[in-house]
Amino acid sequence: MAIYRNVQMSFWTDTKIVDDFTPEDKYFYLYLFTNPHTNLCGCYEISKNQMSIELGYTKEVIERLLKRFIKIHSVINYDENTKELIILNWHKYNWTKSEKLRKALSKEIELIKNKDFKGFLLDIYNNKDTVSIPYQYGMDTTVTVTDTVTVSDTVLNNKKNYQKIIDLFNNNCPSLSKVTKITEQRKKLINARLKEYTEEDIIKVFNLAENSKFLTGDNNRNWKATFEWLMNPNNFIKVLEEQYKTKPQPNPEPKTNTDIYRTYKHSNYNFDELEKELREPKRAAEPPGN
């Protein structure tokens, strides 16, 4: 019997999806809703390796996406030990008051290994108010049910943070055009990247850009990357994943005697003429005036 998962059309018009999600985020979120491991309760077992194989992403990309969806988007949680993933608002769109469904839900919830995940869903099942699931692995932010991003805007809009990112760019990318002014566009780009990535990720991108021949002008247009170009979401992830990394040139192997012989420029001698000159004695030069 075929199993279907419904995705409401409002997914594409939701302000959070439109404003905060990159195209990659949307793809990953739809996968979390519809992959073959999903169940009725919205909490299911899935390993990072399974996600990597099914999506065609590396494990590093999967880890980055999970981190972003937990810390920044606050729409899921993941237990590294039990390999259970919970979609926090699954119940809003997939649970009904059907008694048949409630019996099936009750059985699935009882099988959940993570106690926090189980308690969270039991509270919803029993119509109790549920605020959050504590994250047990030391993340900096609390995952909330309301889908609100918990990164403080007051932190991101701090002038010191803007200047710090600009200084990191100028110091780590001396081959690129120096940034001298903090514009509104640059503020938006810095805010957006800090919501998705860590400061270490940004430093890595700057270092990779500086060490890339292509991004520093070694191309057929003599084009160089700019701060705005690097902080663009599509370009940022490409640089972070080392798509512009300069490939090391192989060291040339030392030449052998055979190679030297092949490259030696030989003279064209007429050996018959040489032999004739050697055998016939040279005539003595006649004195002048005879």
Side-chain angles (χ1 to χ4, degrees), residues 113-286:
K113 300 172 185 176
N114 182 292
K115 294 180 180 179
D116 292 325
F117 295 178
K118 181 186 286 189
F120 173 79
L121 292 179
L122 281 174
D123 284 347
I124 297 172
Y125 181 84
N126 294 318
N127 296 317
K128 295 181 180 179
D129 292 334
T130 302
V131 178
S132 65
I133 302 175
Y135 189 71
Q136 64 268 46
Y137 299 106
M139 290 292 189
D140 297 329
T141 57
T142 302
V143 178
T144 61
V145 180
T146 58
D147 278 0
T148 55
V149 179
T150 56
V151 177
S152 172
D153 289 337
T154 58
V155 174
L156 293 178
N157 287 318
N158 190 317
K159 187 176 180 180
K160 290 183 179 179
N161 282 343
Y162 295 138
Q163 190 60 54
K164 184 176 183 181
I165 299 301
I166 296 298
D167 290 342
L168 285 171
F169 172 79
N170 289 335
N171 293 333
N172 289 280
C173 300
S175 300
L176 304 181
S177 297
K178 189 175 181 179
V179 174
T180 59
K181 186 177 180 180
I182 303 175
T183 63
E184 289 302 316
Q185 181 189 6
R186 287 167 178 168
K187 287 181 181 180
K188 290 180 180 179
L189 287 170
I190 292 171
N191 277 344
R193 298 296 75 76
L194 285 174
K195 284 183 179 181
E196 296 178 295
Y197 303 96
T198 64
E199 186 177 301
E200 287 72 23
D201 291 331
I202 294 176
I203 294 172
K204 182 179 179 181
V205 165
F206 292 161
N207 288 332
L208 286 168
E210 175 62 23
N211 292 312
S212 168
K213 288 186 177 181
F214 180 84
L215 296 180
T216 53
D218 189 3
N219 52 71
N220 57 9
R221 295 180 295 156
N222 293 323
W223 170 86
K224 290 185 178 183
T226 62
F227 178 81
E228 285 81 0
W229 189 92
L230 286 174
M231 297 298 280
N232 175 280
N234 294 328
N235 300 331
F236 189 95
I237 185 62
K238 289 179 182 178
V239 178
L240 185 63
E241 293 177 354
E242 303 187 2
Q243 295 185 29
Y244 290 95
K245 188 175 182 179
T246 301
K247 294 182 180 179
Q249 295 296 324
N251 294 325
E253 296 182 0
K255 289 186 176 181
T256 64
N257 290 335
T258 303
D259 294 328
I260 295 172
Y261 176 79
R262 286 174 179 171
T263 58
Y264 179 75
K265 186 176 181 180
H266 297 276
S267 300
N268 293 323
Y269 293 106
N270 188 322
F271 290 99
D272 292 336
E273 291 292 333
L274 287 173
E275 185 178 6
K276 185 177 179 180
E277 287 183 14
L278 290 171
R279 288 187 176 184
E280 293 182 1
K282 290 185 178 180
R283 296 174 60 185
E286 296 182 356

